[in-house]
Amino acid sequence: MALTLHGTVSDNTVALDRKTATPLIINGDMQIAQRGTSATALGNGDTGYHTVDRFQFREDGSPTYEFTMSQSTDTPTGEGFSQSLKLDCTTADTSLASADALGIRHTVEAQNLQMLKYGTSSAEVLTLSFWVKTNKTGTYTLWVYSDDGARNISKTYTVSSANTWEKKVINIDADTGGTINNDNGIGLILGWYLGAGTAFTSGTLNTSWNTLVTADRVSSSQVNLADSTSNDFYITGVQLEIGTFDANSIPPFQFEDAGTSLARCQRYCYQEDNSDSYHGQLLGFYSSTTLFIGILSLPVAMRSSPSITTSGNFQTGGGGTGSLDLSSIVLSDSTGTNLNQVQIRATVSGGTQGDACYFRNKNDTDAVFRLESEL
């Protein structure tokens, strides 16, 4: 990977050569949303990926708030962005319980961060920047967690003007005492806290790298975005640069074409298109009268052996027996090493053993066929 200097950086820091290097943040312009553009009633038990790829809704404890998470076209003017990620409070919780918290997370794969040299005297400083808009002014907390070293650091930023896009630039210290393994696991978690109970705020904010202490993770001044159904929060243009930058020196956001961004997202989530009725998913055959087996070739290798999620109606097509309903759709080997393809098995009734056929949705454009290997 070629490296070059940008802006004002210290002697032991470098910034990625933006002409040749891949952005560390995947889908930072919020263009890709394979799972859908909106998810409602997110709250207790709903931590996970729901809309915009690689950006996770995060809740802790047993909160009573609920949010709608969506891909929005509200973006900062003149910056080149067409999409943002929006959280809209639909059920308020004016006083979060001690163990309750709310936020958004992005996780960077460990083997993509080896150039940070954590655990050495040459460890690199990072700079995170993003655009944010909310009606809720005040103090917010950015939490950064290094999973392999179980170490973390927190920084605060201030939203000054309500309902106005503001760009935030945050320096993240080099971690000379940490470690990031060279593997496909979690490297760094970037967490935008939008509310937190006293279990997270009662200590002293940990503004330098240290071992994880929950009470030191979030500022005691952190706003509670869940305290009113009038509250919303938008974010876009998330970028992570190696080096120390301020608002004047940080390089412009590095846009990727939609195809490249989608392919990078598909390493962690691959969702088949069901936008048309009877859309074919894969080819296969009847291994017996009651078993369909098919091979799905993937556009990119997934990070690890995926899990499968299906909903809606699927059937076979073709073959001497015509269309047959499918049920109990599973991956046949979730521990396989070939991450470019998966074998699908499904229960069928009345198949002709040995006949070739194909797997498709059964006139169901809302059907879901998704593989996930998220961090």
Side-chain angles (χ1 to χ4, degrees):
M1 177 180 290
L3 297 174
T4 188
L5 296 179
H6 286 277
T8 302
V9 296
S10 59
D11 289 342
N12 69 331
T13 57
V14 293
L16 291 174
D17 182 341
R18 301 168 64 78
K19 294 182 180 179
T20 60
T22 301
L24 292 174
I25 300 297
I26 298 174
N27 200 31
D29 57 358
M30 314 297 171
Q31 276 201 89
I32 308 301
Q34 294 186 81
R35 297 171 177 85
T37 58
S38 182
T40 61
L42 300 182
N44 187 18
D46 291 320
T47 284
Y49 296 90
H50 298 282
T51 57
V52 172
D53 281 56
R54 307 299 303 124
F55 285 84
Q56 181 191 63
F57 176 84
R58 176 73 190 191
E59 53 82 17
D60 289 281
S62 302
T64 60
Y65 58 68
E66 288 188 348
F67 280 80
T68 293
M69 188 179 200
S70 61
Q71 186 186 47
S72 172
T73 57
D74 190 334
T75 58
T77 302
E79 299 297 330
F81 301 107
S82 60
Q83 308 285 348
S84 64
L85 175 61
K86 178 184 179 182
L87 278 181
D88 178 36
C89 182
T90 56
T91 299
D93 185 350
T94 58
S95 181
L96 295 175
S98 175
D100 291 351
L102 166 68
I104 297 169
R105 286 189 181 181
H106 183 93
T107 305
V108 185
E109 193 170 335
Q111 60 191 355
N112 295 335
L113 294 173
Q114 294 307 294
M115 76 290 286
L116 299 186
K117 304 185 287 290
Y118 277 16
T120 75
S121 59
S122 300
E124 305 288 355
V125 175
L126 287 167
T127 300
L128 180 73
S129 69
F130 53 93
W131 287 88
V132 62
K133 174 183 173 181
T134 177
N135 66 294
K136 190 79 172 176
T137 60
T139 300
Y140 289 78
T141 305
L142 173 76
W143 177 66
V144 184
Y145 179 67
S146 174
D147 188 66
D148 292 319
R151 291 163 61 82
N152 71 140
I153 186 172
S154 295
K155 300 289 184 177
T156 60
Y157 63 96
T158 302
V159 173
S160 303
S161 301
N163 301 313
T164 303
W165 281 104
E166 299 178 354
K167 187 174 184 179
K168 304 303 174 185
V169 179
I170 301 172
N171 298 134
I172 301 166
D173 303 349
D175 187 10
T176 57
T179 185
I180 298 179
N181 296 338
N182 187 20
D183 58 24
N184 66 347
I186 296 172
L188 289 177
I189 295 174
L190 305 173
W192 290 262
Y193 272 97
L194 305 177
T198 55
F200 299 88
T201 63
S202 59
T204 300
L205 189 67
N206 188 46
T207 57
S208 59
W209 283 101
N210 214 324
T211 54
L212 179 64
V213 176
T214 298
D216 299 342
R217 278 161 67 166
V218 182
S219 169
S220 59
S221 300
Q222 169 69 45
V223 305
N224 176 16
L225 194 76
D227 67 5
S228 171
T229 56
S230 298
N231 294 344
D232 51 34
F233 183 91
Y234 300 80
I235 186 171
T236 195
V238 180
Q239 68 183 98
L240 188 64
E241 301 286 345
I242 298 177
T244 303
F245 299 93
D246 58 24
N248 296 318
S249 63
I250 192 163
F253 184 87
Q254 187 175 353
F255 289 94
E256 295 184 294
D257 65 88
T260 298
S261 187
L262 174 61
R264 296 186 71 199
C265 291
Q266 286 173 330
R267 176 170 173 79
Y268 307 94
C269 173
Y270 174 75
Q271 183 153 316
E272 272 284 340
D273 179 21
N274 277 306
S275 59
D276 58 303
S277 300
Y278 301 106
H279 180 84
Q281 315 279 351
L282 62 144
L283 297 175
F285 72 104
Y286 299 114
S287 175
S288 69
T289 60
T290 59
L291 180 63
F292 165 87
I293 297 179
I295 298 294
L296 176 63
S297 295
L298 301 168
V300 299
M302 301 202 77
R303 182 188 64 86
S304 62
S305 296
S307 61
I308 187 170
T309 299
T310 62
S311 64
N313 302 305
F314 294 92
Q315 64 177 191
T316 59
T321 52
S323 300
L324 299 174
D325 289 350
L326 293 170
S327 61
S328 303
I329 302 167
V330 298
L331 295 179
S332 66
D333 182 7
S334 62
T335 61
T337 57
N338 185 352
L339 302 177
N340 290 99
Q341 65 179 30
V342 292
Q343 186 182 108
I344 306 296
R345 297 191 177 204
T347 301
V348 68
S349 178
T352 300
Q353 186 174 12
D355 270 10
C357 56
Y358 54 88
F359 179 113
R360 67 185 183 186
N361 76 61
K362 184 184 177 182
N363 193 25
D364 186 357
T365 58
D366 293 322
V368 172
F369 183 98
R370 182 168 64 238
L371 303 176
E372 294 178 277
S373 61
E374 295 283 5
L375 288 161

